[in-house]
Amino acid sequence: MKAFILAAGKGERLGSLTETVPKPMLELAGKPILEHNILMCKNAGVKDIFINLHYLPNKITDYFGDGAKMGVNILYNYEPELLGTAAGILFFLNNFKAEPFYVIYGDNYTEFDLKDLKDYHESVNSDFTIALHWVDDISHSGVVYLGKNNEIYKFLEKPKMDHIEGGWVNSGIYLINPNVIDDLVKEYSDFAYDIIPQALNRKRKLYGYKIKNDLWAIDTPELFSNTVNELNIN
């Protein structure tokens, strides 16, 4: 199987933490976040990994090279300008024609087993499966609305709310069938704001898979510090 990992972002909200290192290269549990994601792919039998780059790209390519030292094959594409979470896949689309492929946000950290997502995806005959995790405050996340069989019927990115509410949200890990999103991805497009809502409008079968693992989104210095402390305790 194959995977597309998003690693182009700078992580501006992290301030000085990303002045000299791109966000996916921040270290957690002794390794860059991106390395954890590559190993997650490898452990699930994913050999071919495609990564988009923008901010400080040499920090990533110098560290991972072609992936041989990790037992995978890595192909990069440098974006002179950020294209959005979905448009970054355009350069690689021809590589994803034969079988379902993973999309992984390279700046999130989890110890989730991707094979579980694949098994679920196949069991419900899904077109596009989104790994979900629970948060106590959904206002900063992509919120899914699920039917009784966990089929997604509505998706809302960062909903405006006047109260705190918990729920199942987008983990930034997808398994997508070939050709399902090909004609939806434009020169600048985003999975949360564009691709997922459009796929729902087209009556594609989107399902949510509720993961049992913790997931850490490292969006602010406080979240990064808290995550480092939590992982050290564990």
Side-chain angles (χ1 to χ4, degrees):
M1 294 189 70
K2 300 177 180 181
F4 170 55
I5 302 181
L6 290 80
K10 175 181 179 180
E12 292 182 344
R13 286 183 290 172
L14 287 161
S16 62
L17 288 172
T18 53
E19 282 183 357
T20 60
V21 61
K23 183 180 178 183
M25 294 301 289
L26 292 174
E27 286 197 8
L28 290 175
K31 296 182 180 69
I33 301 170
L34 183 55
E35 184 170 356
H36 287 292
N37 282 305
I38 292 172
L39 288 171
M40 180 171 65
C41 289
K42 178 185 176 182
N43 292 338
V46 177
K47 295 294 185 180
D48 298 313
I49 297 173
F50 304 83
I51 300 176
N52 68 328
L53 306 171
H54 172 71
Y55 179 64
L56 299 176
N58 290 345
K59 295 284 186 177
I60 294 175
T61 56
D62 290 349
Y63 186 94
F64 294 106
D66 62 3
K69 66 180 181 181
M70 296 183 65
V72 297
N73 306 309
I74 300 177
L75 181 66
Y76 305 96
N77 181 52
Y78 172 72
E79 300 174 7
E81 297 182 5
L82 288 173
L83 301 175
T85 58
I89 204 172
L90 279 172
F91 183 81
F92 301 120
L93 269 181
N94 286 336
N95 296 282
F96 301 127
K97 300 293 187 182
E99 60 182 345
F101 60 93
Y102 295 102
V103 173
I104 299 167
Y105 291 19
D107 54 3
N108 291 342
Y109 173 60
T110 183
E111 297 176 353
F112 173 59
D113 189 340
L114 290 175
K115 289 181 288 187
D116 291 343
L117 186 66
K118 179 176 181 290
D119 290 344
Y120 177 77
H121 180 87
E122 293 173 348
S123 72
V124 295
N125 195 28
S126 176
D127 291 323
F128 188 137
T129 303
I130 302 174
L132 309 175
H133 68 285
W134 180 270
V135 297
D136 294 326
D137 181 358
I138 63 176
S139 62
H140 301 291
S141 305
V143 182
V144 297
Y145 297 83
L146 300 169
K148 62 180 181 179
N149 296 316
N150 288 336
E151 188 165 0
I152 299 170
Y153 65 87
K154 184 179 178 181
F155 182 92
L156 188 59
E157 180 71 5
K158 296 181 176 63
K160 294 181 179 179
M161 307 184 67
D162 57 7
H163 62 284
I164 295 176
E165 181 179 326
W168 291 97
V169 301
N170 181 7
S171 293
I173 302 173
Y174 312 139
L175 187 58
I176 307 173
N177 285 351
N179 306 313
V180 167
I181 65 168
D182 290 14
D183 62 337
L184 297 179
V185 183
K186 308 303 180 186
E187 185 174 348
Y188 181 92
S189 53
D190 184 271
F191 276 106
Y193 289 106
D194 303 309
I195 305 305
I196 295 173
Q198 290 178 51
L200 286 171
N201 287 338
R202 290 191 175 188
K203 307 301 181 184
R204 292 291 192 176
K205 292 185 290 184
L206 277 73
Y207 282 83
Y209 179 73
K210 300 173 181 177
I211 68 174
K212 299 179 177 65
N213 308 71
D214 291 325
L215 183 139
W216 292 272
I218 315 301
D219 294 326
T220 66
E222 293 76 20
L223 286 172
F224 179 71
S225 178
N226 291 341
T227 300
V228 169
N229 292 335
E230 187 173 346
L231 291 174
N232 285 340
I233 291 172
N234 294 335

PDB file of all heavy atoms in Angstrom, residues 5-35:
ATOM      1  N   ILE A   5       1.860  11.764   2.978  1.00  0.00           N
ATOM      2  CA  ILE A   5       2.009  12.431   4.271  1.00  0.00           C
ATOM      3  C   ILE A   5       2.221  13.923   4.043  1.00  0.00           C
ATOM      4  O   ILE A   5       3.108  14.334   3.290  1.00  0.00           O
ATOM      5  CB  ILE A   5       3.180  11.852   5.083  1.00  0.00           C
ATOM      6  CG1 ILE A   5       2.992  10.349   5.300  1.00  0.00           C
ATOM      7  CG2 ILE A   5       3.296  12.568   6.425  1.00  0.00           C
ATOM      8  CD1 ILE A   5       4.101   9.697   6.116  1.00  0.00           C
ATOM      9  N   LEU A   6       1.400  14.724   4.700  1.00  0.00           N
ATOM     10  CA  LEU A   6       1.499  16.183   4.572  1.00  0.00           C
ATOM     11  C   LEU A   6       2.564  16.709   5.526  1.00  0.00           C
ATOM     12  O   LEU A   6       2.471  16.510   6.738  1.00  0.00           O
ATOM     13  CB  LEU A   6       0.157  16.836   4.908  1.00  0.00           C
ATOM     14  CG  LEU A   6      -0.998  16.650   3.924  1.00  0.00           C
ATOM     15  CD1 LEU A   6      -1.650  15.290   4.101  1.00  0.00           C
ATOM     16  CD2 LEU A   6      -2.041  17.728   4.110  1.00  0.00           C
ATOM     17  N   ALA A   7       3.572  17.372   4.973  1.00  0.00           N
ATOM     18  CA  ALA A   7       4.661  17.876   5.809  1.00  0.00           C
ATOM     19  C   ALA A   7       5.133  19.248   5.351  1.00  0.00           C
ATOM     20  O   ALA A   7       6.285  19.622   5.563  1.00  0.00           O
ATOM     21  CB  ALA A   7       5.824  16.883   5.798  1.00  0.00           C
ATOM     22  N   ALA A   8       4.248  20.019   4.730  1.00  0.00           N
ATOM     23  CA  ALA A   8       4.654  21.302   4.158  1.00  0.00           C
ATOM     24  C   ALA A   8       4.524  22.473   5.122  1.00  0.00           C
ATOM     25  O   ALA A   8       5.135  23.516   4.921  1.00  0.00           O
ATOM     26  CB  ALA A   8       3.839  21.592   2.893  1.00  0.00           C
ATOM     27  N   GLY A   9       3.726  22.311   6.166  1.00  0.00           N
ATOM     28  CA  GLY A   9       3.403  23.445   7.031  1.00  0.00           C
ATOM     29  C   GLY A   9       4.545  23.892   7.922  1.00  0.00           C
ATOM     30  O   GLY A   9       5.428  23.112   8.289  1.00  0.00           O
ATOM     31  N   LYS A  10       4.500  25.168   8.275  1.00  0.00           N
ATOM     32  CA  LYS A  10       5.515  25.749   9.157  1.00  0.00           C
ATOM     33  C   LYS A  10       5.134  25.601  10.622  1.00  0.00           C
ATOM     34  O   LYS A  10       5.994  25.384  11.474  1.00  0.00           O
ATOM     35  CB  LYS A  10       5.699  27.236   8.826  1.00  0.00           C
ATOM     36  CG  LYS A  10       6.658  27.958   9.767  1.00  0.00           C
ATOM     37  CD  LYS A  10       6.789  29.431   9.408  1.00  0.00           C
ATOM     38  CE  LYS A  10       7.728  30.149  10.379  1.00  0.00           C
ATOM     39  NZ  LYS A  10       7.867  31.589  10.053  1.00  0.00           N
ATOM     40  N   GLY A  11       3.862  25.718  10.919  1.00  0.00           N
ATOM     41  CA  GLY A  11       3.439  25.708  12.314  1.00  0.00           C
ATOM     42  C   GLY A  11       3.655  27.056  12.956  1.00  0.00           C
ATOM     43  O   GLY A  11       4.301  27.184  13.997  1.00  0.00           O
ATOM     44  N   GLU A  12       3.089  28.100  12.341  1.00  0.00           N
ATOM     45  CA  GLU A  12       3.336  29.470  12.803  1.00  0.00           C
ATOM     46  C   GLU A  12       2.879  29.706  14.232  1.00  0.00           C
ATOM     47  O   GLU A  12       3.479  30.496  14.966  1.00  0.00           O
ATOM     48  CB  GLU A  12       2.667  30.469  11.859  1.00  0.00           C
ATOM     49  CG  GLU A  12       3.308  30.500  10.477  1.00  0.00           C
ATOM     50  CD  GLU A  12       2.664  31.519   9.558  1.00  0.00           C
ATOM     51  OE1 GLU A  12       1.546  31.969   9.891  1.00  0.00           O
ATOM     52  OE2 GLU A  12       3.266  31.852   8.529  1.00  0.00           O
ATOM     53  N   ARG A  13       1.835  29.005  14.657  1.00  0.00           N
ATOM     54  CA  ARG A  13       1.330  29.203  16.021  1.00  0.00           C
ATOM     55  C   ARG A  13       2.302  28.677  17.083  1.00  0.00           C
ATOM     56  O   ARG A  13       2.136  28.951  18.268  1.00  0.00           O
ATOM     57  CB  ARG A  13      -0.039  28.540  16.175  1.00  0.00           C
ATOM     58  CG  ARG A  13      -1.173  29.297  15.496  1.00  0.00           C
ATOM     59  CD  ARG A  13      -2.505  28.627  15.744  1.00  0.00           C
ATOM     60  NE  ARG A  13      -2.616  27.362  15.042  1.00  0.00           N
ATOM     61  CZ  ARG A  13      -3.615  26.487  15.202  1.00  0.00           C
ATOM     62  NH1 ARG A  13      -4.578  26.741  16.068  1.00  0.00           N
ATOM     63  NH2 ARG A  13      -3.645  25.373  14.514  1.00  0.00           N
ATOM     64  N   LEU A  14       3.309  27.924  16.649  1.00  0.00           N
ATOM     65  CA  LEU A  14       4.286  27.392  17.588  1.00  0.00           C
ATOM     66  C   LEU A  14       5.417  28.376  17.872  1.00  0.00           C
ATOM     67  O   LEU A  14       6.303  28.087  18.680  1.00  0.00           O
ATOM     68  CB  LEU A  14       4.847  26.074  17.055  1.00  0.00           C
ATOM     69  CG  LEU A  14       3.872  24.901  17.142  1.00  0.00           C
ATOM     70  CD1 LEU A  14       4.275  23.779  16.203  1.00  0.00           C
ATOM     71  CD2 LEU A  14       3.794  24.378  18.567  1.00  0.00           C
ATOM     72  N   GLY A  15       5.397  29.514  17.185  1.00  0.00           N
ATOM     73  CA  GLY A  15       6.352  30.577  17.480  1.00  0.00           C
ATOM     74  C   GLY A  15       7.795  30.149  17.304  1.00  0.00           C
ATOM     75  O   GLY A  15       8.190  29.576  16.279  1.00  0.00           O
ATOM     76  N   SER A  16       8.622  30.377  18.326  1.00  0.00           N
ATOM     77  CA  SER A  16      10.061  30.139  18.231  1.00  0.00           C
ATOM     78  C   SER A  16      10.407  28.659  18.059  1.00  0.00           C
ATOM     79  O   SER A  16      11.508  28.323  17.599  1.00  0.00           O
ATOM     80  CB  SER A  16      10.770  30.695  19.476  1.00  0.00           C
ATOM     81  OG  SER A  16      10.309  30.041  20.647  1.00  0.00           O
ATOM     82  N   LEU A  17       9.485  27.769  18.409  1.00  0.00           N
ATOM     83  CA  LEU A  17       9.760  26.341  18.279  1.00  0.00           C
ATOM     84  C   LEU A  17      10.011  25.925  16.836  1.00  0.00           C
ATOM     85  O   LEU A  17      10.710  24.939  16.575  1.00  0.00           O
ATOM     86  CB  LEU A  17       8.587  25.523  18.845  1.00  0.00           C
ATOM     87  CG  LEU A  17       8.416  25.521  20.363  1.00  0.00           C
ATOM     88  CD1 LEU A  17       7.107  24.846  20.745  1.00  0.00           C
ATOM     89  CD2 LEU A  17       9.594  24.813  21.029  1.00  0.00           C
ATOM     90  N   THR A  18       9.432  26.685  15.893  1.00  0.00           N
ATOM     91  CA  THR A  18       9.589  26.326  14.482  1.00  0.00           C
ATOM     92  C   THR A  18      10.392  27.361  13.699  1.00  0.00           C
ATOM     93  O   THR A  18      10.295  27.420  12.472  1.00  0.00           O
ATOM     94  CB  THR A  18       8.212  26.121  13.823  1.00  0.00           C
ATOM     95  OG1 THR A  18       7.394  27.290  14.054  1.00  0.00           O
ATOM     96  CG2 THR A  18       7.503  24.909  14.390  1.00  0.00           C
ATOM     97  N   GLU A  19      11.193  28.143  14.386  1.00  0.00           N
ATOM     98  CA  GLU A  19      12.030  29.113  13.677  1.00  0.00           C
ATOM     99  C   GLU A  19      13.096  28.418  12.835  1.00  0.00           C
ATOM    100  O   GLU A  19      13.441  28.880  11.751  1.00  0.00           O
ATOM    101  CB  GLU A  19      12.699  30.067  14.672  1.00  0.00           C
ATOM    102  CG  GLU A  19      11.773  31.155  15.189  1.00  0.00           C
ATOM    103  CD  GLU A  19      12.498  32.120  16.108  1.00  0.00           C
ATOM    104  OE1 GLU A  19      13.704  31.900  16.376  1.00  0.00           O
ATOM    105  OE2 GLU A  19      11.868  33.097  16.558  1.00  0.00           O
ATOM    106  N   THR A  20      13.640  27.331  13.321  1.00  0.00           N
ATOM    107  CA  THR A  20      14.724  26.642  12.613  1.00  0.00           C
ATOM    108  C   THR A  20      14.394  25.197  12.267  1.00  0.00           C
ATOM    109  O   THR A  20      15.241  24.483  11.725  1.00  0.00           O
ATOM    110  CB  THR A  20      16.013  26.656  13.465  1.00  0.00           C
ATOM    111  OG1 THR A  20      15.773  25.988  14.711  1.00  0.00           O
ATOM    112  CG2 THR A  20      16.471  28.088  13.733  1.00  0.00           C
ATOM    113  N   VAL A  21      13.180  24.772  12.564  1.00  0.00           N
ATOM    114  CA  VAL A  21      12.791  23.396  12.269  1.00  0.00           C
ATOM    115  C   VAL A  21      11.323  23.370  11.863  1.00  0.00           C
ATOM    116  O   VAL A  21      10.495  24.050  12.482  1.00  0.00           O
ATOM    117  CB  VAL A  21      13.039  22.480  13.495  1.00  0.00           C
ATOM    118  CG1 VAL A  21      12.222  22.948  14.689  1.00  0.00           C
ATOM    119  CG2 VAL A  21      12.729  21.031  13.180  1.00  0.00           C
ATOM    120  N   PRO A  22      10.963  22.638  10.811  1.00  0.00           N
ATOM    121  CA  PRO A  22       9.542  22.545  10.447  1.00  0.00           C
ATOM    122  C   PRO A  22       8.762  21.760  11.490  1.00  0.00           C
ATOM    123  O   PRO A  22       9.308  20.870  12.161  1.00  0.00           O
ATOM    124  CB  PRO A  22       9.568  21.822   9.092  1.00  0.00           C
ATOM    125  CG  PRO A  22      10.873  21.117   9.050  1.00  0.00           C
ATOM    126  CD  PRO A  22      11.832  21.899   9.877  1.00  0.00           C
ATOM    127  N   LYS A  23       7.500  22.085  11.604  1.00  0.00           N
ATOM    128  CA  LYS A  23       6.658  21.471  12.637  1.00  0.00           C
ATOM    129  C   LYS A  23       6.719  19.937  12.658  1.00  0.00           C
ATOM    130  O   LYS A  23       6.820  19.340  13.738  1.00  0.00           O
ATOM    131  CB  LYS A  23       5.219  21.957  12.450  1.00  0.00           C
ATOM    132  CG  LYS A  23       4.235  21.453  13.496  1.00  0.00           C
ATOM    133  CD  LYS A  23       2.840  21.996  13.204  1.00  0.00           C
ATOM    134  CE  LYS A  23       1.806  21.477  14.190  1.00  0.00           C
ATOM    135  NZ  LYS A  23       0.441  21.940  13.869  1.00  0.00           N
ATOM    136  N   PRO A  24       6.678  19.253  11.503  1.00  0.00           N
ATOM    137  CA  PRO A  24       6.701  17.788  11.564  1.00  0.00           C
ATOM    138  C   PRO A  24       8.018  17.208  12.086  1.00  0.00           C
ATOM    139  O   PRO A  24       8.081  16.011  12.375  1.00  0.00           O
ATOM    140  CB  PRO A  24       6.483  17.379  10.096  1.00  0.00           C
ATOM    141  CG  PRO A  24       5.830  18.553   9.460  1.00  0.00           C
ATOM    142  CD  PRO A  24       6.422  19.744  10.141  1.00  0.00           C
ATOM    143  N   MET A  25       9.044  18.067  12.215  1.00  0.00           N
ATOM    144  CA  MET A  25      10.331  17.577  12.699  1.00  0.00           C
ATOM    145  C   MET A  25      10.548  17.844  14.191  1.00  0.00           C
ATOM    146  O   MET A  25      11.604  17.537  14.738  1.00  0.00           O
ATOM    147  CB  MET A  25      11.470  18.183  11.883  1.00  0.00           C
ATOM    148  CG  MET A  25      11.493  17.737  10.427  1.00  0.00           C
ATOM    149  SD  MET A  25      11.659  15.929  10.242  1.00  0.00           S
ATOM    150  CE  MET A  25      13.369  15.701  10.763  1.00  0.00           C
ATOM    151  N   LEU A  26       9.557  18.428  14.855  1.00  0.00           N
ATOM    152  CA  LEU A  26       9.644  18.549  16.308  1.00  0.00           C
ATOM    153  C   LEU A  26       9.664  17.154  16.929  1.00  0.00           C
ATOM    154  O   LEU A  26       8.972  16.247  16.456  1.00  0.00           O
ATOM    155  CB  LEU A  26       8.455  19.341  16.851  1.00  0.00           C
ATOM    156  CG  LEU A  26       8.404  20.832  16.485  1.00  0.00           C
ATOM    157  CD1 LEU A  26       7.099  21.439  16.975  1.00  0.00           C
ATOM    158  CD2 LEU A  26       9.594  21.578  17.085  1.00  0.00           C
ATOM    159  N   GLU A  27      10.456  16.989  17.980  1.00  0.00           N
ATOM    160  CA  GLU A  27      10.631  15.658  18.560  1.00  0.00           C
ATOM    161  C   GLU A  27       9.629  15.365  19.673  1.00  0.00           C
ATOM    162  O   GLU A  27       9.388  16.198  20.541  1.00  0.00           O
ATOM    163  CB  GLU A  27      12.056  15.495  19.098  1.00  0.00           C
ATOM    164  CG  GLU A  27      13.092  15.323  18.012  1.00  0.00           C
ATOM    165  CD  GLU A  27      14.399  14.759  18.536  1.00  0.00           C
ATOM    166  OE1 GLU A  27      14.457  14.368  19.711  1.00  0.00           O
ATOM    167  OE2 GLU A  27      15.361  14.709  17.743  1.00  0.00           O
ATOM    168  N   LEU A  28       9.074  14.183  19.592  1.00  0.00           N
ATOM    169  CA  LEU A  28       8.228  13.625  20.653  1.00  0.00           C
ATOM    170  C   LEU A  28       8.670  12.184  20.884  1.00  0.00           C
ATOM    171  O   LEU A  28       8.906  11.442  19.927  1.00  0.00           O
ATOM    172  CB  LEU A  28       6.754  13.649  20.258  1.00  0.00           C
ATOM    173  CG  LEU A  28       6.057  15.012  20.187  1.00  0.00           C
ATOM    174  CD1 LEU A  28       4.635  14.835  19.668  1.00  0.00           C
ATOM    175  CD2 LEU A  28       6.043  15.695  21.544  1.00  0.00           C
ATOM    176  N   ALA A  29       8.777  11.792  22.131  1.00  0.00           N
ATOM    177  CA  ALA A  29       9.167  10.419  22.474  1.00  0.00           C
ATOM    178  C   ALA A  29      10.438   9.997  21.744  1.00  0.00           C
ATOM    179  O   ALA A  29      10.562   8.872  21.257  1.00  0.00           O
ATOM    180  CB  ALA A  29       8.028   9.454  22.156  1.00  0.00           C
ATOM    181  N   GLY A  30      11.384  10.944  21.633  1.00  0.00           N
ATOM    182  CA  GLY A  30      12.701  10.617  21.108  1.00  0.00           C
ATOM    183  C   GLY A  30      12.859  10.642  19.606  1.00  0.00           C
ATOM    184  O   GLY A  30      13.955  10.368  19.095  1.00  0.00           O
ATOM    185  N   LYS A  31      11.795  10.975  18.870  1.00  0.00           N
ATOM    186  CA  LYS A  31      11.879  11.006  17.410  1.00  0.00           C
ATOM    187  C   LYS A  31      11.078  12.180  16.861  1.00  0.00           C
ATOM    188  O   LYS A  31      10.110  12.623  17.490  1.00  0.00           O
ATOM    189  CB  LYS A  31      11.300   9.716  16.797  1.00  0.00           C
ATOM    190  CG  LYS A  31      12.023   8.428  17.134  1.00  0.00           C
ATOM    191  CD  LYS A  31      11.356   7.255  16.403  1.00  0.00           C
ATOM    192  CE  LYS A  31      12.038   5.941  16.716  1.00  0.00           C
ATOM    193  NZ  LYS A  31      11.806   5.538  18.121  1.00  0.00           N
ATOM    194  N   PRO A  32      11.435  12.684  15.674  1.00  0.00           N
ATOM    195  CA  PRO A  32      10.572  13.669  15.027  1.00  0.00           C
ATOM    196  C   PRO A  32       9.174  13.099  14.810  1.00  0.00           C
ATOM    197  O   PRO A  32       9.019  11.899  14.556  1.00  0.00           O
ATOM    198  CB  PRO A  32      11.278  13.933  13.688  1.00  0.00           C
ATOM    199  CG  PRO A  32      12.698  13.553  13.918  1.00  0.00           C
ATOM    200  CD  PRO A  32      12.654  12.408  14.887  1.00  0.00           C
ATOM    201  N   ILE A  33       8.169  13.959  14.898  1.00  0.00           N
ATOM    202  CA  ILE A  33       6.788  13.510  14.688  1.00  0.00           C
ATOM    203  C   ILE A  33       6.645  12.806  13.350  1.00  0.00           C
ATOM    204  O   ILE A  33       5.973  11.776  13.233  1.00  0.00           O
ATOM    205  CB  ILE A  33       5.820  14.706  14.768  1.00  0.00           C
ATOM    206  CG1 ILE A  33       5.916  15.392  16.136  1.00  0.00           C
ATOM    207  CG2 ILE A  33       4.382  14.253  14.517  1.00  0.00           C
ATOM    208  CD1 ILE A  33       5.184  16.717  16.211  1.00  0.00           C
ATOM    209  N   LEU A  34       7.295  13.351  12.328  1.00  0.00           N
ATOM    210  CA  LEU A  34       7.195  12.753  10.994  1.00  0.00           C
ATOM    211  C   LEU A  34       7.770  11.342  10.973  1.00  0.00           C
ATOM    212  O   LEU A  34       7.251  10.460  10.280  1.00  0.00           O
ATOM    213  CB  LEU A  34       7.911  13.641   9.970  1.00  0.00           C
ATOM    214  CG  LEU A  34       7.855  13.206   8.502  1.00  0.00           C
ATOM    215  CD1 LEU A  34       6.420  13.026   8.039  1.00  0.00           C
ATOM    216  CD2 LEU A  34       8.587  14.219   7.616  1.00  0.00           C
ATOM    217  N   GLU A  35       8.824  11.104  11.732  1.00  0.00           N
ATOM    218  CA  GLU A  35       9.393   9.758  11.789  1.00  0.00           C
ATOM    219  C   GLU A  35       8.400   8.781  12.406  1.00  0.00           C
ATOM    220  O   GLU A  35       8.271   7.630  11.947  1.00  0.00           O
ATOM    221  CB  GLU A  35      10.698   9.758  12.577  1.00  0.00           C
ATOM    222  CG  GLU A  35      11.396   8.403  12.582  1.00  0.00           C
ATOM    223  CD  GLU A  35      12.806   8.444  13.157  1.00  0.00           C
ATOM    224  OE1 GLU A  35      13.285   9.547  13.487  1.00  0.00           O
ATOM    225  OE2 GLU A  35      13.424   7.368  13.273  1.00  0.00           O
TER     226      GLU A  35
END
